[in-house]
């Protein structure tokens, strides 16, 4: 019997197979992580759009004189980098229908009383395509 007639798997074939499987595993993990980051970005963006819409309604009610400033969403920040903005509590988020949003991540609202507009700020920031976003206006 000739040694060349042996049809078994060679060590080189096995090593090449393991390398190809490792490359495929790395690619799968990279794609999975990217999808998770995209999902987080989309969730935060959706929360921020909802916050903006709910706060727009309250701001218009305030401008029309239907509610007092204390009835706007959030607690006014008197100091720090976000002084003048309103920090949303978990109660505020729940009232807006955003019970899955976490107030500890830092959702803030900047009411522009003169122009009747609202800017939503996400203190934690969220990554998308290598950029970190904090303001809704930068995300849209």
């Amino acid at each position: 019997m000739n040694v060349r007639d042996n049809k078994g798997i060679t060590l080189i074939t096995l090593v090449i197979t393991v390398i190809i499987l490792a490359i495929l595993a790395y690619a799968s993990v990279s794609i999975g992580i990217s999808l998770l980051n995209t999902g987080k970005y989309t969730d935060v963006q959706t929360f921020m759009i909802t916050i903006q819409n709910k706060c727009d309604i309250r701001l218009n009610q305030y401008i029309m004189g239907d509610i007092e400033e204390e009835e706007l969403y959030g607690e006014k920040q008197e100091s720090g980098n976000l002084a003048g903005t309103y920090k949303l509590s978990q109660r505020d988020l729940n009232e807006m229908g955003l019970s899955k949003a976490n107030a500890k991540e830092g959702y803030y609202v900047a009411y522009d009383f003169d122009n009747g507009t609202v800017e939503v700020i996400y203190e934690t920031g969220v990554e998308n395509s290598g950029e970190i976003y904090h303001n809704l206006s930068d995300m849209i």
Side-chain angles (χ1 to χ4, degrees):
M1 176 172 183
N2 190 349
V3 177
R4 289 187 173 252
D5 291 337
N6 191 350
K7 301 289 182 185
I9 296 175
T10 65
L11 184 58
I12 293 173
T13 305
L14 185 59
V15 169
I16 290 172
T17 303
V18 169
I19 290 172
I20 290 171
L21 288 174
I23 291 169
L24 290 173
Y26 174 78
S28 297
V29 169
S30 295
I31 290 169
I33 290 172
S34 175
L35 289 174
L36 288 174
N37 287 342
T38 301
K40 173 71 173 172
Y41 176 82
T42 303
D43 284 349
V44 170
Q45 185 181 38
T46 301
F47 293 156
M48 292 174 78
I49 290 170
T50 302
I51 291 168
Q52 183 180 41
N53 290 334
K54 298 287 185 174
C55 290
D56 272 337
I57 292 168
R58 286 274 173 103
L59 179 58
N60 287 329
Q61 291 172 331
Y62 171 74
I63 290 171
M64 298 297 287
D66 296 336
I67 64 171
E68 300 295 321
E69 184 175 353
E70 296 79 31
E71 296 176 83
L72 294 172
Y73 286 114
E75 180 181 333
K76 190 170 186 179
Q77 303 301 293
E78 301 297 338
S79 61
N81 292 342
L82 295 169
T85 64
Y86 292 70
K87 183 174 184 175
L88 299 178
S89 67
Q90 191 63 51
R91 191 188 96 243
D92 292 326
L93 294 172
N94 292 345
E95 189 176 323
M96 292 179 193
L98 298 173
S99 58
K100 291 185 179 180
N102 186 353
K104 292 178 183 176
E105 294 178 354
Y107 289 95
Y108 292 82
V109 178
Y111 294 103
D112 184 340
F113 297 104
D114 295 329
N115 296 316
T117 59
V118 173
E119 174 64 75
V120 182
I121 302 160
Y122 181 60
E123 184 178 31
T124 304
V126 65
E127 181 184 348
N128 188 37
S129 301
E131 297 282 330
I132 303 291
Y133 294 93
H134 295 278
N135 295 0
L136 178 59
S137 58
D138 294 337
M139 298 169 81
I140 299 179

